[in-house]
Amino acid sequence: METHELLPHPANPPLGVTRVEARMLALDPHWLTLRWRVEGAQRLVLPPFAGKGRADGLWQATCFELFVRPDGGSGYAEFNFSPSQRWAAYDFVAYREGMAEREVPRDPVCTPRRGQSVLIFDVALPAAALPPLPWRYGLTAVIEEEGGHKSWWAIAHGAARPDFHHDACFAVRLAAANAA
């Protein structure tokens, strides 16, 4: 599956982060595995370890996200994954409307690995938490650097302000035949 270069929203450029890439590594009947790679991560701020569990407000710190919308639908799912090991999942009936917690049968597995200038962040999400294929999806990231500076990264942006719920962020289509 292809690697997507995420672009920082032009209204909020990063300080030191030079590149963010994201990719779907595999999708099988049990797990969806995702990977984000952040380069220039020397000033990257990671939330402290909190252990596995659901939590709200993860986007207020460094956080990695997946948005999924079934083909032809207006409703979508949002998944947030934190290097703290916390996660969140929500359903929306339409653009930012009808938000409710999405059922996830098992905690996702979030695995950050940090080097001197690179962060690799892997996620294994139970496939049962996903809507049936085909769907459109977006991979995104909120990056916090020292001093509380934040940048918002997506495959595509479609609004004057960062908005991962915008239709433009659902930039990639995955059909049933593409699943591993």
Side-chain angles (χ1 to χ4, degrees):
M1 299 186 173
E2 72 182 292
T3 298
H4 303 281
E5 180 177 354
L6 304 187
L7 306 171
H9 192 279
N12 303 89
L15 294 176
V17 171
T18 57
R19 184 178 184 93
V20 178
E21 296 177 342
R23 70 179 300 179
M24 190 176 293
L25 295 174
L27 174 59
D28 65 36
H30 305 287
W31 295 98
L32 166 66
T33 53
L34 305 165
R35 172 172 288 165
W36 285 264
R37 177 184 174 90
V38 180
E39 296 180 16
Q42 294 91 326
R43 297 175 65 186
L44 182 67
V45 175
L46 297 181
F49 177 78
K52 289 181 184 177
R54 191 183 282 261
D56 292 322
L58 298 175
W59 55 269
Q60 296 176 25
T62 296
C63 177
F64 301 90
E65 302 178 347
L66 168 68
F67 287 80
V68 178
R69 183 180 62 214
D71 270 3
S74 59
Y76 59 96
E78 173 185 356
F79 299 91
N80 304 153
F81 310 104
S82 172
S84 72
Q85 305 282 309
R86 298 293 174 151
W87 59 274
Y90 308 101
D91 280 319
F92 292 85
V93 297
Y95 174 76
R96 292 190 177 273
E97 292 181 17
M99 182 175 139
E101 282 194 0
R102 182 172 186 85
E103 183 66 32
V104 177
R106 179 178 174 184
D107 284 340
V109 179
C110 301
T111 309
R113 293 186 311 279
R114 188 171 190 170
Q116 184 175 357
S117 63
V118 175
L119 171 74
I120 304 291
F121 186 71
D122 290 338
V123 170
L125 174 66
L130 296 163
L133 291 169
W135 29 263
R136 299 198 66 78
Y137 70 94
L139 296 165
T140 65
V142 177
I143 300 296
E144 182 179 355
E145 296 180 83
E146 292 172 355
H149 182 85
K150 292 186 184 118
S151 54
W152 287 264
W153 300 70
I155 297 169
H157 294 279
R161 296 182 53 183
D163 183 0
F164 296 154
H165 296 254
H166 190 280
D167 188 58
C169 288
F170 294 87
V172 183
R173 184 173 188 275
L174 184 65
N178 294 112

